[in-house]
Amino acid sequence: MGKALIIGAGGVASVCIHKCCQNSDVFEEICIASRTKSKCDALKAKLDGGKTKISTAQVNADNVDELIALIKNFKPDVVINLALPYQDLTIMDACLATKVNYVDTANYEPLDTAKFEYKWQWAYCERFEKAGITALLGSGFDPGVTGVFSAYAMKHEFDEINYIDILDCNAGDHGYPFATNFNPEINIREVSAKGSYIEDGKWIETEPMEIKRVYNFPEIGEKDMYLLHHEELESLALNIRGIKRIRFFMTFGQSYLTHLKCLENVGMTSIEPIDFEGHKIVPLQFLKAVLPDPASLGPRTKGKTNIGCIFIGKKDGKDKTYYLYNVCDHEECYKEVGSQAVSYTTGVPAMIGAAMLLTGKWNKPGVHNIEEFDPDPFMDDLNKFGLPWKESYNPDLVE
Ligand code: NDP
């Protein structure tokens, strides 16, 4: 049915590519392109021979001309951006120049400030609309499935949703004292930033990890979780009817937090370049180089993830609560696609989002967040491609 250009060949891309090959009626042909071509070739070698035709290419996604040349050569129907958030705008520029649809899983971040906001990407809306192409923003799990869950709750369960708590629990154990489950630089920037949530239309800022709660996660049990800033709060507060407050919590173990505090205290999480033996180095980038590669955690990680949303609102004038979540098992993911659950829960929705555009089930020229589309076909595909969802009408609530 279509051709997809996948940019990036890391943990998330690897899962997405496996899933494209499982959905070969839709993904007839894919090209895997990244900075390090050998990683693309290794993925091709693993997956070649099925119905989906695979090619590879080298590309520096910071360079718009290189991207345009690659797109003109491969002629994809959609570009799936699974490189880093720093490349979002250059890839969007190349999609605009060639009139090709765009999908990503994380919003743009300038390299020199850890700031997650949609304003840079939303600024492309009119140009995408005029070009007749769609940019689907945030098609991972969170953002991504959390937005689809919100749109589904809005469509089927509520007249208005007043409170959303997004809960992201990773109860996986990889056996290392400290490692991150996805790109360490992006992960540490996210968790060492100030927390924030939206209440009555205003952002309320907190110190990093200031707000802690304990939650009893279905199929996992009690875990400590902390309020973080997260990008989907910004779009959901605009797109879901009746929002009074929306918060995001993520679980962290004590060992992770103690290591992070120590690394912060000695300056290793800083993104300010320093002089080191005649070179400029960014401490956080150096730290990334010495930490375990997230892709190497797959074979060692045991346990489950549980990510979902608790909604409180009104239906037919009555108060109502509703919890939608997915539980994913690290070892089962590894058995199926050779990656742990954090990459899996992001790579599957990236494939599904692209499939929605390729099949024409979602078609809305402009730049749109995922909750702006009809959630039903996406929810069906979550069940079909390895991320079945569960629901509860009387969940524990977060204080
Ligand atoms: P990895 O670091 O494992 O992979 C990133 C890939 O992008 C690597 O192959 C890297 O190439 C490539 N890349 C980096 N810079 C460039 C460039 N300039 N040009 C071309 N390729 C480049 O990251 P992950 O797979 O863990 O994460 C991928 C994305 O998914 C990130 O944006 C992350 O924020 C997002 N994410 C979203 C989640 C969600 O739920 N929404 C959850 C987890 C992640 P090289 O191998 O040469 O370094």
Side-chain angles (χ1 to χ4, degrees):
M1 204 175 262
K3 287 166 81 168
L5 170 62
I6 296 162
I7 301 183
V12 175
S14 165
V15 175
C16 178
I17 292 158
H18 275 83
K19 289 289 162 177
C20 291
C21 293
Q22 286 179 15
N23 195 5
S24 55
D25 287 345
V26 173
F27 294 88
E28 284 170 339
E29 209 177 323
I30 60 175
C31 173
I32 313 166
S34 191
R35 192 168 48 188
T36 312
K37 185 167 176 285
S38 56
K39 289 192 189 170
C40 309
D41 292 334
L43 284 167
K44 176 178 156 74
K46 214 163 145 188
L47 284 160
D48 228 1
K51 256 174 80 189
T52 304
K53 204 169 140 204
I54 305 175
S55 57
T56 62
Q58 200 277 330
V59 74
N60 174 7
D62 293 321
N63 183 317
V64 180
D65 292 335
E66 267 188 43
L67 286 164
I68 291 177
L70 175 63
I71 294 173
K72 282 190 172 158
N73 185 35
F74 180 62
K75 301 187 180 57
D77 303 293
V78 63
V79 174
I80 311 176
N81 169 13
L82 300 176
L84 299 179
Y86 317 127
Q87 279 83 46
D88 287 5
L89 300 187
T90 44
I91 299 176
M92 286 177 81
D93 282 329
C95 285
L96 256 182
T98 51
K99 294 199 174 22
V100 176
N101 296 314
Y102 168 89
V103 175
D104 69 24
T105 65
N107 70 4
Y108 172 69
E109 262 179 72
L111 199 51
D112 54 355
T113 24
K115 214 159 172 28
F116 320 96
E117 280 183 67
Y118 279 113
K119 69 173 182 210
W120 291 285
Q121 291 181 278
W122 285 344
Y124 282 69
C125 190
E126 214 179 294
R127 281 174 283 159
F128 267 67
E129 219 172 273
K130 278 197 184 126
I133 50 172
T134 305
L136 169 60
L137 305 187
S139 191
F141 206 106
D142 43 345
V145 177
T146 51
V148 176
F149 281 176
S150 301
Y152 180 87
M154 187 81 260
K155 181 171 173 185
H156 297 288
E157 300 288 339
F158 290 94
D159 296 323
E160 58 177 278
I161 296 177
N162 307 123
Y163 301 94
I164 304 180
D165 280 326
I166 301 170
L167 310 188
D168 179 333
C169 170
N170 178 7
D173 182 6
H174 44 58
Y176 286 117
F178 185 80
T180 63
N181 293 290
F182 66 98
N183 187 287
E185 195 186 329
I186 306 296
N187 180 235
I188 291 173
R189 277 165 73 115
E190 178 177 272
V191 301
S192 53
K194 290 209 175 202
S196 67
Y197 61 99
I198 294 179
E199 185 146 37
D200 296 328
K202 285 194 223 65
W203 284 101
I204 316 248
E205 202 168 82
T206 71
E207 288 307 310
M209 307 291 175
E210 183 187 330
I211 298 184
K212 174 186 167 186
R213 297 284 185 270
V214 178
Y215 194 77
N216 189 9
F217 286 90
E219 298 179 44
I220 288 177
E222 281 195 354
K223 292 280 166 198
D224 294 344
M225 60 182 193
Y226 297 83
L227 185 140
L228 296 186
H229 172 77
H230 224 247
E231 60 204 62
E232 68 263 53
L233 303 185
E234 188 184 7
S235 69
L236 289 172
L238 290 176
N239 293 325
I240 301 298
R241 259 194 322 275
I243 290 291
K244 290 186 180 145
R245 190 189 64 205
I246 172 162
R247 304 182 293 187
F248 181 97
F249 291 91
M250 192 178 270
T251 61
F252 294 102
Q254 204 44 56
S255 169
Y256 180 94
L257 292 178
T258 309
H259 279 79
L260 187 64
K261 190 86 231 146
C262 175
L263 291 165
E264 259 169 16
N265 285 344
V266 297
M268 280 307 296
T269 59
S270 168
I271 57 173
E272 290 300 322
I274 57 156
D275 284 317
F276 178 74
E277 295 184 346
H279 301 280
K280 286 249 181 254
I281 62 165
V282 172
L284 181 55
Q285 285 171 4
F286 178 74
L287 176 62
K288 173 181 185 268
V290 297
L291 285 175
D293 177 356
S296 70
L297 301 179
R300 357 179 352 132
T301 308
K302 296 180 174 30
K304 290 177 179 172
T305 62
N306 177 330
I307 320 176
C309 307
I310 299 172
F311 304 99
I312 304 177
K314 291 202 165 43
K315 180 74 179 172
D316 301 327
K318 288 202 194 100
D319 292 340
K320 178 171 182 180
T321 58
Y322 182 56
Y323 184 19
L324 263 175
Y325 61 92
N326 161 263
V327 176
C328 201
D329 185 293
H330 285 286
E331 287 174 283
E332 278 174 22
C333 295
Y334 189 73
K335 243 188 269 159
E336 185 197 329
V337 298
S339 302
Q340 34 81 358
V342 175
S343 301
Y344 191 93
T345 51
T346 312
V348 172
M351 178 283 285
I352 298 175
M356 293 294 117
L357 299 186
L358 283 178
T359 53
K361 288 181 184 153
W362 288 1
N363 175 16
K364 196 191 286 195
V367 174
H368 301 288
N369 292 86
I370 200 161
E371 65 274 11
E372 294 176 59
F373 295 89
D374 178 12
D376 293 352
F378 199 109
M379 292 290 273
D380 290 343
D381 271 6
L382 285 172
N383 286 331
K384 213 158 120 194
F385 288 104
L387 293 178
W389 42 275
K390 299 185 176 174
E391 57 190 351
S392 154
Y393 288 91
N394 58 350
D396 291 348
L397 299 180
V398 183
E399 175 205 322

